[in-house]
Amino acid sequence: MAAAATADTDESLHSLALLADTGAQTFLPGHGDPYHGDIAVAVAHARSLPVV
C-alpha cells in the first residue's frame, strides 16, 4: 500500500479487514479491472506488501 495514496494508513488497513469479512467473490475497485476470486485472499496479499 502506498502511504501517499491515503491520509490514514491505519484506517486503510481497517478497511481491508472489513472487505475480507464480506466474503465477496467479486470486487469492483474504483479503478482497474474487476477482481474475481476470494476477497480474503486479495486482502491477505495486500497486507503482505510493505507500506511505502
Side-chain angles (χ1 to χ4, degrees):
M1 174 184 350
T6 182
D8 188 337
T9 303
D10 290 335
E11 185 65 25
S12 295
L13 292 171
H14 177 70
S15 294
L16 285 174
L18 294 175
L19 284 170
D21 289 346
T22 68
Q25 295 298 307
T26 300
F27 178 68
L28 305 172
H31 58 279
D33 295 330
Y35 175 83
H36 301 285
D38 187 349
I39 192 68
V41 172
V43 166
H45 174 71
R47 286 181 163 278
S48 75
L49 301 173
V51 176
V52 292

